[in-house]
Amino acid sequence: MNAPLSTAAVRAQLYTEMSPLNLTPLWEVLHALVPPQPATPCVSALWKYEQVRPFLMRAGEAITADEAVRRVLILENPALRGQSAITQSLYAGLQLILPGEVAPSHRHTQSALRFIVEGTGAYTAVDGERTTMRPGDFIITPSWTWHDHGNEAHGPVVWLDGLDIPMIRFFDAGFAQNDSRKSQAVSRPEGTSLARYGYNMAPVRGNAPFGATSPIFNYPYERSREALDRLERDAPLDDWDGFKLRYVNPLTGGSPMPTMATFMQRLPPGFSGNPWRQTDGAVYSVVEGQGEIVIEHAGIQSTLAFGPRDHFVVPSWHTARFKSASGCVLFSYSDRPVHQALGIHQEERLS
Ligand code: GTQ
């Protein structure tokens, strides 16, 4: 007679023998699968522009925009190397286009935002309309619209690309096509979309041209800055956010894209904010000024000191607070609309 097996041996044998049938016990992984609170593998990180820029310019010598299709250095979360992701759901990259270059026309189901970081006079074209890029402008490429980028100015132009690439990959819902033409034909004068949708008015007839995505494709910095200036003069300061506005799709009041929310905020000189945490991971682009963000997670605290054109990421459920001695302006984007659509968004404002 065999000796009775120990409990541990019984279990080990069960796991081994059922494994060929692709069966595995839940109880060994339950706590990791449904953690008591979000347990992101992502970490906070900062990309200083002065360190990144030389590599972007070297990329400009190493490959043409035409050859690369999109000449972009991806900002990879240090804990997600090789995954082309800055958070589990979001992608970020810095794209360079040099004078005379064209990044050829294509389309994909992934939605994109462009936030202009350096240089003036490049354009992006979406569905027959071009818009000129200026620093601080927030530009949208809706899902499945043809888009090409070009630079007819004199200097390099760099922008932040924010896309929902990891999210679309998660859903296995990505499609893409190259256009037969390198640059698409222009069919409407520049500014048409802003005139139609950018003045708190909308065409009397016709459907939303880009479905759930905002019909405005350039939200100019001039106007975002003016709004924040005005609030700084007249409105009460929020102890967490300073003065913070969200960009809207004027046809719905919701986020400009179904997968990504975008924000612009002003921290006035001397700001020392309260801490908060939220389930949506957020990517920031510093527009003006200096400041720091103190991020705490799992008992570890890190302070990221930022200046103009720097980029940083605050992952899900990391506690963060801002300080700015001299004042600053920050653009950011996150996957909040998806959290909200699923009814799983959570935010805590701490003191
Ligand atoms: O400009 O279409 O950074 O398709 C990554 C994928 C930019 C773009 C990126 C893209 C684009």
Side-chain angles (χ1 to χ4, degrees):
M1 261 206 4
N2 293 332
L5 290 173
S6 69
T7 305
V10 168
R11 291 177 188 172
Q13 197 171 14
L14 169 66
Y15 304 166
T16 309
E17 291 178 14
M18 70 183 172
S19 182
L21 295 181
N22 303 306
L23 294 171
T24 194
L26 168 65
W27 58 88
E28 295 289 342
V29 294
L30 182 58
H31 294 297
L33 278 187
V34 285
Q37 55 179 15
T40 179
C42 301
V43 295
S44 59
L46 169 72
W47 289 263
K48 298 292 290 176
Y49 196 63
E50 68 197 24
Q51 292 180 336
V52 172
R53 193 180 188 280
F55 291 107
L56 263 175
M57 297 306 143
R58 269 171 66 182
E61 288 165 14
I63 192 163
T64 64
D66 193 39
E67 224 184 324
V69 181
R70 297 294 183 264
R71 190 204 284 115
V72 178
L73 300 185
I74 302 172
L75 308 182
E76 279 195 327
N77 193 289
L80 302 177
R81 294 307 309 271
Q83 297 183 40
S84 305
I86 192 160
T87 69
Q88 297 259 72
S89 63
L90 296 174
Y91 162 103
L94 289 169
Q95 181 158 176
L96 167 69
I97 187 153
L98 294 168
E101 288 189 325
V102 170
S105 178
H106 71 182
R107 64 177 176 178
H108 38 71
T109 37
Q110 291 82 0
S111 294
L113 68 85
R114 328 281 171 190
F115 186 72
I116 316 312
V117 169
E118 176 186 343
T120 292
Y123 66 84
T124 186
V126 169
D127 254 16
E129 187 176 331
R130 281 186 181 181
T131 189
T132 303
M133 297 172 151
R134 296 181 181 84
D137 288 358
F138 157 51
I139 293 172
I140 293 178
T141 310
S143 175
W144 208 241
T145 52
W146 296 112
H147 55 284
D148 50 270
H149 318 297
N151 184 346
E152 295 174 342
H154 301 295
V157 175
V158 176
W159 64 83
L160 171 68
D161 279 325
L163 287 90
D164 52 14
I165 288 173
M167 206 185 306
I168 301 301
R169 180 169 59 197
F170 176 79
F171 289 118
D172 287 333
F175 294 86
Q177 287 177 341
N178 289 321
D179 204 344
S180 53
R181 288 165 303 188
K182 206 165 136 179
S183 298
Q184 60 184 281
V186 173
S187 60
R188 286 188 304 278
E190 177 161 359
T192 304
S193 84
L194 195 67
R196 285 204 177 112
Y197 302 101
Y199 289 86
N200 297 318
M201 302 175 94
V204 177
R205 290 186 184 78
N207 295 323
F210 304 120
T213 300
S214 172
I216 295 183
F217 85 110
N218 188 344
Y219 295 76
Y221 184 52
E222 207 182 7
R223 296 177 68 176
S224 325
R225 190 72 178 91
E226 186 188 338
L228 292 175
D229 271 351
R230 185 62 202 259
L231 292 176
E232 187 176 357
R233 266 181 280 140
D234 301 333
L237 178 74
D238 181 272
D239 290 334
W240 290 265
D241 293 336
F243 302 97
K244 184 173 184 177
L245 295 172
R246 64 183 179 92
Y247 290 88
V248 296
N249 174 344
L251 299 182
T252 64
S255 59
M257 283 157 290
T259 48
M260 292 183 282
T262 47
F263 307 89
M264 184 75 89
Q265 83 194 90
R266 164 84 179 147
L267 306 180
F271 186 76
S272 181
N274 288 340
W276 83 94
R277 55 184 177 174
Q278 60 191 38
T279 53
D280 49 325
V283 180
Y284 289 79
S285 182
V286 183
V287 195
E288 295 179 39
Q290 324 269 337
E292 51 184 56
I293 181 164
V294 183
I295 302 174
E296 224 185 287
H297 186 66
I300 298 166
Q301 180 175 301
S302 55
T303 299
L304 310 177
F306 55 77
R309 299 172 174 164
D310 292 347
H311 293 86
F312 57 91
V313 56
V314 184
S316 167
W317 221 240
H318 282 45
T319 301
R321 64 193 149 93
F322 279 121
K323 290 183 192 175
S324 180
S326 54
C328 61
V329 180
L330 308 171
F331 170 83
S332 60
Y333 68 98
S334 85
D335 54 359
R336 186 175 302 188
V338 182
H339 293 235
Q340 289 173 327
L342 301 180
I344 55 166
H345 187 252
Q346 289 205 43
E347 181 181 30
E348 271 180 11
R349 304 190 115 193
L350 311 161
S351 52

